Every structure is written in structure tokens, then in C-alpha cells.
């Protein structure tokens, strides 16, 4: 009866309930009675003060078994009620979308497949979407994740098919799982796509332009020749057989540097031998590159003998990882510098005491509050990671006041504690070591950036050396000023610091203060004396450039692992000072065979010259006496590379674009000191990337030969004034805009600049794989490990219109 009245007689039923509620409410006192009571003083003071306030509304009616329904609400029909309780079919769009979201959740957050079978997850989904039926874990592990992996692979292959260059650079590394999953090889790819102009958010694969083509080029796809009209349309055929129609005007297009994880190759129980590595790499390059008509280019990896031998078997060119090279230099310094091991052992003992002892940590916290220091815990380093050693020393120096007070209060606790006290020289050595290692940390972080390319290698090494030399000069200048005040002559370890003394590294006519004010560091006088004597071909430049023409090195030259630490006889500064540390670190940097190979390899200098951000400051990295000769040599190397890369260009097909000559070349100096007064690697780099003003070339339209055509093209580029470019994508945007003007040079530059400087991406693959394979997932198949790692690392390549198969 109640349901009938509620459904058929809603208005009357609501009125009845309202009247019933009013009838059951207690009667309110009348106004006259209230006034009489107030006049007799029967009301309390509060009520007497508020007698003019209108009476409060009656309380709400008591709840009944049937709730009151507003006039606007409508009762759901039986069919609607049943529809709400009906589960989604497997092919329902909402169910498919939820399946895709859960698949990405499992891959991105590295969660176990068993999560979807837990009662907690099912209760959560039942509360959020009651109509959704969560598929079993077998659906996600055997259907959803493989389908997601295939769609991401197809999108990467589509982008590779539209690569601007015919070579794709690779990075690789090796790893062994501690959970018994076997041995792995990571393989990543790096290339450049041409995308339509617009914001970065709009440059998806839907806006990727067909790659330009130059017929007959052995490493680059055919691109519009410089003899074509910039407004003409050309039809070409892609590597997949589909015709492309495009215009050669790329002034409004952008270059987008792409990177992707190709494969996490599992070797199982097979060793990391050169033959096994070669087979794994060759199989993946054939699978990814042959269908789209590409070839593997340079391969960036560490200096492991098995990897280098495997690349030799595959006929690939090995590029040493810049971050790994810097790591070896720092590790050599830490292990061989005098008394460094004892100092670090004492620091580790002090930090470990505060980490494992709760009373000591509590006392340190109290001292931090008393001295107003940050409430930070001390850090224990990992000996194999020198950057953690830097962070440990920085934290200890930050808490120096509290540590010294704690050691004074507990000086007589034990003899072991007394041995761990730091002297004034010990604290000074720690601060100097922090200043020294910060330069390498900045360089390593820059080399490991996502947008860092191989053109940064030469400037980074040269400016790192400049920074170390400036640190030496800065401290020596301070000591000289102190000695001059006393009227004495400065001698260090019985040797004068003048140029000409054994181990002298500075010029006699310039002191450290002069160098700091001028913002540059000078070359060794010994190198200059060799140049003055005329022995230019045999003079070895420690800072930049390659030796004579007969000793020019290329990408594929082998490097001997002859890295001997410096000896005390080769150093001239007093031990323990920042200048001595800088000199020792500089010797470690110079003695490294890989660094020497990079600084004497003309291809590295050509890569830096092709980067428009650095090309105007390349001469500042070369000693002044051999600057012109080196620049001519690097231009000649670039021209020879263009002649080999584009053999189809003939003198009858092209016209000379002009012979530009730079006039009034003004070069900026490199800033050597920071705002804090101490040499900073960041300030060095900031001063280096500033671009000087150059004059524009004079056009020339006469018909020239093939070599002269490329010579004019290179000269025009070198002499063209540029604005300051700091964005990581600026070099690619610049060269894409020059595809119509200098097509061959632009294509070659895009090919070279797409190579990374370090193999950090391959190492990140193993970090992700280590998160996928845990103690609770040790039985995960190697195929699923590869797929989950592939999806996790290639999140940017997941299509927006993702569609997964239905769950059974």
C-alpha cells in the first residue's frame, strides 16, 4: 500500500506525511503567555534578551521507513534497474578502456599480475564501476600486455620508417639479473624525424612529414638535391614502396630527436662473450632496420672488452660513453691520490656511527637545533659510485659545526673515537675535494641528459680541463699574494712555478689573478715553444685538436687501455692543497687513453662544428698558434665526409652558392670564475655557449666543381651569423630549416647530431628491469620481462587510440 501511494498518488501522499509530522510535533507556547511569563520574570536572562527573536522552526519529522521524494525525482523502471546491475560484456567500449588502463598501470608501476586477482582490487573496482568484470591475470599477462607491446612496436617502426637519415645510432650495455633470470643485453635507438611546425604537444606521429630523399646516397635516404627548386614538388618512393609527394621547403618544419628501447635481449645461461653479444645485436638490427631500409650507425657503450669485440665482429663503430669515461677518471683519482683512501675511510666511519647509533643520531639532532643547522642525516656512500662520495662529503661539511662539537664532548669516550677526529687540514681537504668533484658531477649530469648529443663531448672535456687549470691558478695566485706581502719569493716543493721549471703548467707572464680577470686559461708554454720552433706536425696539443695530418683519427680507431696514474715526480704543487688536487686530477684526465683519443679525433671536432650552438666558439678551444691550421683540417675532414656520403652530386648538376669569407670575427672569452669567486664548471659552460657576431657571406653564382660545391657549402655555414641557441632541439630545428638551402650538409649534420654522448638510456633499461624482477616475481618469464620493460621505457610511444583484444 505504501509503495502504491508513493508511486500513484505522490502529491497526496507527500501532503499526508507533512500533516502527520506537524500533528505529532509539540505545541509552541503562545505569544501572550510568553509575554506574561517574561513580565513575571519566569524566563531566564538569555530568553529575556532574545524575546524579540522569531521562534525556531519545528524539528524535522521523525524518519520513516519510506523516504520523502521530491517532485522532480522519478523512480527507476524495472528495466533501468536491471540495466544498472547488468555487467559489461567483454566487447563493451568501457570494459576495453578499463582493460587498457589496468594494463598500463601494471606496466608503468611495475606491479604484479596477481594484483587483479586479489579481493581488495576486485572490491575497489566493484565500488568504482559495478558493471565491470575484472579479467584474470592470465588475460593481462598473455593477451593485454603482448598486444600493448605490439602496438608500441608498430608505432616505433612507423617513426623509423620516416627517419630523416638512413642510419640509426644505437646504445647498448650488458646486465646480469641477481634473481636467476639470466644475462641481458639492452639495445636503444636514436634518430631524427621531421615534424610539422607547431607546439611540441602537437608534434605527434600524425604530424610527421615524409623524409626527404637524395637518390644514390649510401647512408642517408635520398633527399632533394641542391639543384632542385625550393618550391617544386617531388614524388619519391619510400623504403616500404609507398610513394611520397612532398615539397622541398622545410623552413616551417621542425626536427624532433627520437629515442626508443628496441629490445631487452635475454641470453639465458649463455655467457656475455663477444660472439653471443654479436649474434644478439645483429638479430635485432636486422629485425628492426632491414624492413624499413635503415642501417645501424654509431654504437655508444662502455669500454668492456666483450662489447668492443662484439661490435668489431658486427662491423659497427664503437663510441665510448662519455659518462663512463669521466667515471673512470674520477675513480682513478680517488684510488691513487695520496692519503685519499685514509681520509675517506675516516669519513665513512664517522657517517656510519651516526647512521647505526640512535643515541649519537639523537645527540646530533640536538646539536643541529642549537646551532641552527639543517636537520639532515649524514649520508653513507657507495664506494663504486663516486657521486655518492661527493654527497657524503658535502653533507659532512654542512654539519661541520655540530660534528666538531660532538667530537669534543665525546673526546675521551674511546681511543677509536679519538682516531676519527678531523683536524683543520682534514676539513679543508674535504671542502677542496667537494669543489673538485662538483666539476665532474656537473659534466656527468650534462653528458647524461636526454637531449645531450655527441657534439657536446669536445666542449665538455676542454672546459673541464680549463676549469681544473683555473683552480690551480686561482690558489697559486692567492699564495703568491700572501708571500709578496712578506717579501719572499714563492717556491713550491723546492721548485719555482715559473714556466720552464720541470712540471710547470703556467705561462710566466700571466698570473692566476690575470687569468681570472680575463676569463680564459692559457696553454702550456712547452706546447708554444714547440710551435715556435716550427715542429707543428709533431706538436702534441693537450687541450684540443688532433696531431699532424698523418695522425688524424676517426670514429673507428681502436684505443689502448693504458691509463697509468700520475706520479709525484710529475707534479709541482704542494700536496694536500686544492691546486695539488687539481693538478693531479688534470694529469689523470690527460693520461686517460679514451680522453686522448677523443681530443685527437677529427670526427668529434667535426660533430662539434656541426652544432650551431657551439660552432662559433670551436676556435677558442684550440691553441692560438695552431688554431687556423686545425680549423682548416676540420673543414677538410667535413668536406671529405660529404664527398663520401654523396657520391651522386656532380659539377654539372649544381651551382656554387658562394664563397663566404668571415669578416670582423669577434669571439667571446670563456668566463673562468663564478659569482662566488671560485671557479665553476657551470659558469665555464655558460660563457662558452655565448655566440659571437659574424659577418654574412658574399653570394656567388658561378658553376663550380663537386668538391668546390661542398667547400662553399661548408664555408657558408661556418661564416653565417647565428643567434644564441640554448634549447636542446635548436640544432635539429636549424638543420631542418636548411634542408632546402644546404641539403647534403643538413642531412649529414642531422645524422651526426642524432648520436647521443652517453649510453645512459641503456643503463636505465636495466634499472627498470631490476624493478620488474623482484624477489616476489622471480618466476616471471623472460618474455614478459622484456615486454614490461619495453612498455615502461617507451611510455611516450603508447598510441592515444589504444585498443586491446576482448577478454574471454
Amino acid at each position: 500500500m505504501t509503495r502504491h501511494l508513493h508511486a500513484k498518488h505522490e502529491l497526496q501522499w507527500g501532503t499526508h506525511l507533512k500533516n502527520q509530522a506537524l500533528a505529532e510535533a509539540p505545541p509552541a507556547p503562545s505569544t501572550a503567555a510568553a509575554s506574561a511569563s517574561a513580565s513575571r520574570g519566569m524566563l531566564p536572562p538569555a530568553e529575556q534578551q532574545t524575546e524579540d527573536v522569531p521562534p525556531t522552526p519545528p524539528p524535522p519529522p521523525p524518519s520513516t521507513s519510506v523516504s520523502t521524494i521530491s517532485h522532480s525525482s522519478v523512480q527507476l523502471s524495472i528495466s533501468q534497474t536491471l540495466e544498472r546491475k547488468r555487467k559489461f560484456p567483454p566487447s563493451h567500449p568501457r570494459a576495453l578502456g578499463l582493460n587498457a588502463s589496468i594494463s598500463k598501470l601494471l606496466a608503468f608501476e611495475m606491479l604484479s599480475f596477481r594484483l587483479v586477482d586479489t579481493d581488495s582490487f576486485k572490491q575497489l573496482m566493484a565500488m568504482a564501476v559495478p558493471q565491470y568484470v575484472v579479467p584474470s591475470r592470465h588475460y593481462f599477462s598473455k593477451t593485454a600486455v603482448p598486444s600493448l607491446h605490439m602496438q608500441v612496436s608498430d608505432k616505433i617502426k612507423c617513426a623509423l620508417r620516416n627517419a630523416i637519415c638512413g642510419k640509426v645510432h644505437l646504445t647498448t650495455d650488458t646486465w646480469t639479473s641477481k634473481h636467476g633470470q639470466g644475462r641481458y643485453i639492452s639495445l636503444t635507438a636514436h634518430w631524427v624525424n621531421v615534424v610539422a611546425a607547431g607546439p611540441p604537444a602537437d608534434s605527434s606521429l600524425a604530424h610527421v612529414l615524409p623524409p626527404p630523399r637524395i637518390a644514390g646516397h649510401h647512408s642517408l635516404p635520398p633527399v632533394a638535391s641542391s639543384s632542385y627548386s625550393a618550391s617544386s614538388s617531388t614524388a619519391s618512393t619510400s623504403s616500404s614502396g609507398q610513394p611520397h609527394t612532398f615539397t622541398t621547403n622545410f623552413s616551417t618544419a621542425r626536427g624532433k630527436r627520437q629515442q626508443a628501447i628496441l629490445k631487452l635481449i635475454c641470453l639465458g645461461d649463455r655467457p656475455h662473450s663477444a660472439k653471443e653479444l654479436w649474434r644478439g645485436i645483429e638479430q635485432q638490427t636486422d629485425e628492426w632496420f632491414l624492413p624499413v631500409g635503415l642501417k645501424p650507425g654509431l654504437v655508444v657503450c662502455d669500454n668492456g672488452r666483450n662489447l668492443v669485440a662484439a661490435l668489431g665482429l658486427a662491423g659497427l663503430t664503437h663510441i665510448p660513453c662519455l659518462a663512463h669515461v669521466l667515471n673512470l677518471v674520477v675513480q682513478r683519482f680517488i684510488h691513487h691520490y695520496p692519503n685519499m683512501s685514509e681520509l675517506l675511510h675516516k669519513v665513512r666511519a664517522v657517517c656510519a656511527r651516526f647512521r647505526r647509533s640512535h643515541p649519537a643520531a639523537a645527540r646530533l639532532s640536538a646539536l643541529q637545533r642549537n646551532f641552527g643547522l639543517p636537520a639532515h642525516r649524514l649520508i653513507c656512500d657507495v664506494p663504486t659510485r663516486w657521486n655518492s662520495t661527493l654527497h657524503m662529503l658535502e653533507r659532512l661539511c654542512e654539519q661541520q659545526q655540530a660534528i666538531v662539537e660532538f667530537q669534543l664532548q665525546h673526546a675521551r669516550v674511546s681511543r677509536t673515537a679519538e682516531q676519527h677526529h678531523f683536524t683543520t687540514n682534514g676539513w679543508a681537504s674535504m671542502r677542496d675535494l667537494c669543489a673538485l668533484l662538483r666539476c665532474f658531477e656537473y659534466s656527468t649530469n650534462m653528458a647524461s641528459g636526454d637531449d645531450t648529443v655527441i657534439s657536446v663531448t669536445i666542449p665538455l672535456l676542454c672546459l673541464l680541463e680549463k676549469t681544473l687549470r683555473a683552480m690551480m691558478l686561482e690558489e697559486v695566485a692567492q699564495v703568491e699574494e700572501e708571500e709578496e706581502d712578506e717579501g719572499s719569493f714563492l717556491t713550491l716543493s723546492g721548485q719555482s712555478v715559473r714556466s720552464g721549471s720541470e712540471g710547470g703548467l703556467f705561462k710566466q707572464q700571466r698570473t692566476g689573478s690575470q687569468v681570472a680577470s680575463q676569463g680564459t686559461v692559457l696553454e702550456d708554454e712547452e706546447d708554444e715553444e714547440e710551435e715556435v720552433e716550427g715542429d707543428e706536425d709533431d706538436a702534441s696539443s693537450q687541450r684540443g685538436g688532433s696531431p699532424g695530418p698523418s695522425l688524424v683519427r676517426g670514429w673507428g680507431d681502436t684505443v689502448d687501455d693504458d691509463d697509468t696514474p700520475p706520479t709525484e715526480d710529475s707534479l709541482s704543487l704542494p700536496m694536500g692543497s686544492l691546486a695539488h688536487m687539481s693538478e693531479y686530477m688534470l694529469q689523470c684526465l690527460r693520461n686517460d687513453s679514451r680522453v686522448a683519443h677523443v681530443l685527437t679525433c677529427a670526427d668529434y671536432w667535426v660533430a662539434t662544428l656541426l652544432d650551431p650552438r657551439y660552432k662559433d666558439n670551436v676556435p677558442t678551444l684550440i691553441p692560438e698558434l695552431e688554431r687556423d691550421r686545425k680549423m682548416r683540417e676540420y673543414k677538410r675532414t667535413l668536406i671529405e665526409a660529404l664527398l663520401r656520403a654523396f657520391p651522386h652530386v656532380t659539377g654539372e648538376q649544381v651551382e656554387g652558392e658562394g664563397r663566404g669569407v668571415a669578416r670582423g670575427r669577434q669571439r667571446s672569452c670563456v668566463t673562468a670564475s663564478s659569482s662566488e669567486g671560485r671557479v665553476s664548471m657551470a659558469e665555464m659552460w655558460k660563457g662558452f655557449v655565448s655566440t659571437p657576431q659574424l659577418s654574412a657571406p658574399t653570394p656567388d653564382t658561378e658553376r663550380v666543381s663537386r668538391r668546390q660545391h661542398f667547400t662553399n657549402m661548408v664555408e657558408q655555414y661556418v661564416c653565417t651569423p647565428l643567434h644564441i641557441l640554448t634549447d636542446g632541439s635548436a640544432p635539429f630545428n636549424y638543420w631542418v630549416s636548411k634542408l632546402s638551402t644546404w641539403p647534403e650538409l643538413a642531412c649529414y649534420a642531422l645524422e651526426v647530431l642524432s648520436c647521443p654522448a652517453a649510453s645512459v638510456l641503456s643503463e636505465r633499461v636495466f634499472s627498470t628491469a631490476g624493478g620488474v624482477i623482484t624477489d616476489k616475481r622471480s618466476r616471471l618469464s623472460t618474455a614478459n620481462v622484456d615486454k614490461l620493460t619495453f612498455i615502461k621505457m617507451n611510455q611516450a610511444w603508447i598510441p592515444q587510440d589504444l585498443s586491446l583484444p576482448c577478454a574471454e
Side-chain angles (χ1 to χ4, degrees), residues 760-789:
V760 178
L761 188 59
S762 292
E763 297 178 3
R764 291 174 184 168
V765 174
F766 296 140
S767 299
T768 302
V772 173
I773 308 173
T774 60
D775 294 333
K776 295 184 179 181
R777 305 182 73 183
S778 58
R779 297 183 62 185
L780 193 65
S781 65
T782 56
N784 281 333
V785 172
D786 171 38
K787 292 180 176 64
L788 291 173
T789 307

Side-chain angles (χ1 to χ4, degrees), residues 454-455 457-459 461-462 541-547 553 555 595-611 614-615 617-623 630-631 633-635 637-638 688 752:
I454 198 170
S455 60
T457 304
I458 290 293
L461 291 177
C462 292
S541 172
Q542 298 289 350
R543 294 183 50 252
S546 60
R553 296 184 177 182
W555 296 120
V595 175
H597 168 72
V598 170
L599 295 178
T600 56
C601 178
D603 290 331
Y604 280 97
W605 288 88
V606 168
T608 306
L609 189 63
L610 289 175
D611 195 324
Y614 313 137
K615 64 107 174 175
N617 284 323
V618 169
T620 63
L621 304 176
I622 308 174
K630 295 294 184 183
M631 289 301 298
E633 179 182 316
Y634 301 147
K635 292 178 185 178
T637 302
L638 177 56
F688 171 75
V752 172

